[in-house]
Amino acid sequence: MYSTPETDMTFDKYDEMRLHMAKLFSASIIDFDIPMRIAIPLDNAGIRRIGDLVKLTRKDLLKVRRLGGKGADEVGKILDRFGLSLGMAVE
């Protein structure tokens, strides 16, 4: 008379990774403890999310006003701590 709902027992480990990366890319740059001397120029350039930041190359970062080579190096190190890098393809 009553049927039990079928549960989907399939698990795709790649979906979990994709969800994790989507969450990382949508995070604010402030959440990554980026120093204000770097965060303010990024914000002024319209870069507010990690997804926006990782799309850029080092060359693009150097074009951001008031962000020099030292700041670009620091951004690279911060991203590296989270397994991210500049120039990533964001889906």
Side-chain angles (χ1 to χ4, degrees), residues 78-90:
I78 291 168
L79 292 175
D80 191 46
R81 285 189 303 194
F82 294 96
L84 303 172
S85 64
L86 293 171
M88 290 181 74
V90 179

Side-chain angles (χ1 to χ4, degrees), residues 2-82:
Y2 295 103
S3 63
T4 58
E6 291 183 29
T7 56
D8 185 12
M9 297 304 289
T10 60
F11 175 75
D12 187 0
K13 65 182 178 182
Y14 299 107
D15 283 341
E16 186 176 337
M17 178 59 86
R18 195 171 327 152
L19 289 172
H20 174 71
M21 293 304 284
K23 188 174 180 179
L24 269 178
F25 291 149
S26 66
S28 171
I29 59 172
I30 302 300
D31 296 339
F32 277 64
D33 294 327
I34 292 179
M36 292 308 288
R37 66 181 178 76
I38 296 172
I40 291 171
L42 290 176
D43 185 60
N44 291 339
I47 303 161
R48 294 178 179 87
R49 303 269 172 221
I50 294 300
D52 300 332
L53 183 59
V54 297
K55 289 178 190 176
L56 302 175
T57 63
R58 178 177 167 75
K59 190 175 182 179
D60 296 332
L61 266 184
L62 293 174
K63 292 178 185 176
V64 173
R65 188 170 181 208
R66 297 181 53 217
L67 183 74
K70 200 171 187 180
D73 290 341
E74 193 165 346
V75 166
K77 289 176 186 177
I78 291 168
L79 292 175
D80 191 46
R81 285 189 303 194
F82 294 96

